[in-house]
Amino acid sequence: GYLPSETTVVSVSGNLVIAPGACLDAFTLGTVTVGGNVLVGQGAILALGCTAGSLGPPFDQPPCKGQTTSDVVWGSILATRALTMYLDGNTIHGNVVSVGGGPGATLSPYINFPIKDNEIFGSVLVTGWHGAWFGALRNTIHGSAAFAFNQGVTTGDFGELDSNEVVQNTVYGS
């Protein structure tokens, strides 16, 4: 569903299930709170949270418009062969685990998988995702972090694959 404005509040008391092939578009200025886990099925999309971004004006893009939301997941986010997830500026009290997924070795459609500017009290594991670009940037991870066997197909300035970025994270575990 689409959250129309920053005044929209969605609360889920238990688990939130994104069915295979479905999409939850909460990449908006609304506020989402999930009392349990978020389970993301095969081919599904989860877009959760919004931050002002690191570039500032004039680069602030809709829907964030230079603002940051305060979305919270009290459990874990668990994805099995999801098409993608956009996790941006959330507080996640459990783990973030994504196994497999993505559109494959294609740029059409051009699908990214960003995990940016989150506070994650558990661990993060992303393995076997294939798409255009994967990144974990500026997160605070209180557990451990592991990124393995992810493949991006975007090429960099020198014609080599340049599409996995794990930078500026604070990791308290391994």
Side-chain angles (χ1 to χ4, degrees), residues 16-173:
L16 173 62
V17 178
I18 313 301
C23 174
L24 174 65
D25 181 3
F27 183 52
T28 68
L29 293 177
T31 300
V32 177
T33 301
V34 178
N37 298 316
V38 178
L39 308 171
V40 184
Q42 180 176 348
I45 299 170
L46 170 63
L48 183 64
C50 210
T51 59
S54 60
L55 298 177
F59 300 104
D60 294 332
Q61 297 289 321
C64 299
K65 301 176 193 158
Q67 300 178 47
T68 298
T69 57
S70 56
D71 296 340
V72 177
V73 175
W74 285 96
S76 295
I77 296 177
L78 308 170
T80 304
R81 296 188 307 270
L83 182 59
T84 190
M85 295 194 294
Y86 295 84
L87 304 178
D88 193 9
N90 304 295
T91 300
I92 302 162
H93 288 274
N95 301 310
V96 174
V97 177
S98 178
V99 177
T106 179
L107 290 175
S108 181
Y110 192 98
I111 295 179
N112 292 328
F113 183 163
I115 302 175
K116 302 186 311 180
D117 303 309
N118 300 284
E119 179 147 15
I120 301 166
F121 286 93
S123 295
V124 177
L125 168 66
V126 179
T127 183
W129 187 84
H130 295 187
W133 176 88
F134 167 77
L137 294 84
R138 300 178 305 274
N139 298 288
T140 299
I141 302 168
H142 294 269
S144 296
F147 306 97
F149 307 109
N150 301 301
Q151 182 180 22
V153 294
T154 303
T155 55
D157 294 336
F158 302 105
E160 298 172 353
L161 291 179
D162 180 30
S163 56
N164 286 284
E165 295 180 70
V166 178
V167 296
Q168 294 182 330
N169 297 288
T170 300
V171 179
Y172 289 100

